[in-house]
Amino acid sequence: IVYTIGTETLGVFSAYYSSSPLIISNLGLIFMNFFWPLVIKNKENIPVILGKLDVLLLKFLPVGIILNAVSVTFFVSLYGKEYPLHLILIVLFAVASMANIVFFLYTSLLNIDRVFQSAVICLMVNLLLISSLVIFKDIKIYLIAQIMLYFLGVLFIRGKMKKHVCSV
């Protein structure tokens, strides 16, 4: 199945897109409510916090992706038979929304004392994402680009934060 941008595809994309972050984003907000104040109070210990966040994400990501895939499947099925369930879209949307949450966590850490850099990174990632959709006109490629860009963004932010901490 080839997905190009059209009215039908946009409808399917919207159904999957609105379904993918429903549960995970709420869990992310709950996590941020206790994580953010903790980080602010201990911002001099960013390397330790990064290490603990890495371990937490490695343990939670597989569960989060599965939970998100189940959520996407359930919510998209509520739209009716006009919105078919495609395993590849379920998986890509589940992984992409988890990648979005992880990217948000790391940009939040960068926002502690480097708001401008965080804004530039977010702007660049979002411009590249929009470009991938405009150029390729394919939802699957857009989602793969989103996963890759968020992953690269996290690696870049981690490198910036470690370099900044080492130079202080």
Side-chain angles (χ1 to χ4, degrees), residues 30-42 104-113:
I30 292 168
F31 177 74
M32 284 304 288
N33 280 336
F34 81 85
F35 179 69
W36 184 251
L38 178 73
V39 170
I40 295 296
K41 289 179 187 175
N42 297 295
F104 172 74
L105 288 173
Y106 283 92
T107 55
S108 295
L109 287 174
L110 192 60
N111 278 334
I112 292 172
D113 61 356

Side-chain angles (χ1 to χ4, degrees), residues 50-68:
L50 282 173
K52 291 184 181 207
L53 183 60
D54 289 343
V55 170
L56 180 68
L57 289 174
L58 284 174
K59 290 180 180 179
F60 179 71
L61 275 178
V63 174
I65 290 170
I66 292 168
L67 176 64
N68 206 12

Side-chain angles (χ1 to χ4, degrees), residues 110-119 160-161 163-164:
L110 192 60
N111 278 334
I112 292 172
D113 61 356
R114 302 174 112 189
V115 175
F116 180 75
Q117 283 186 352
S118 176
K160 283 279 188 193
M161 292 178 72
K163 182 187 278 187
H164 176 69

Side-chain angles (χ1 to χ4, degrees), residues 85-158:
L85 292 173
H86 295 289
L87 182 60
I88 188 71
L89 290 179
I90 291 168
V91 170
L92 286 174
F93 271 100
V95 173
S97 63
M98 285 300 299
N100 186 348
I101 297 286
V102 173
F103 183 70
F104 172 74
L105 288 173
Y106 283 92
T107 55
S108 295
L109 287 174
L110 192 60
N111 278 334
I112 292 172
D113 61 356
R114 302 174 112 189
V115 175
F116 180 75
Q117 283 186 352
S118 176
V120 169
I121 292 168
C122 288
L123 177 66
M124 294 302 298
V125 166
N126 287 314
L127 287 174
L128 289 169
L129 285 175
I130 292 167
S131 298
S132 74
L133 191 57
V134 169
I135 292 168
F136 297 108
K137 295 178 176 63
D138 187 315
I139 292 173
K140 290 182 285 189
I141 292 174
Y142 167 76
L143 292 168
I144 292 167
Q146 187 176 18
I147 294 164
M148 289 174 28
L149 286 169
Y150 285 152
F151 177 73
L152 292 173
V154 166
L155 290 178
F156 184 76
I157 290 168
R158 287 186 87 261

Side-chain angles (χ1 to χ4, degrees), residues 43-55:
K43 66 181 185 178
E44 65 280 350
N45 294 318
I46 290 292
V48 174
I49 293 169
L50 282 173
K52 291 184 181 207
L53 183 60
D54 289 343
V55 170

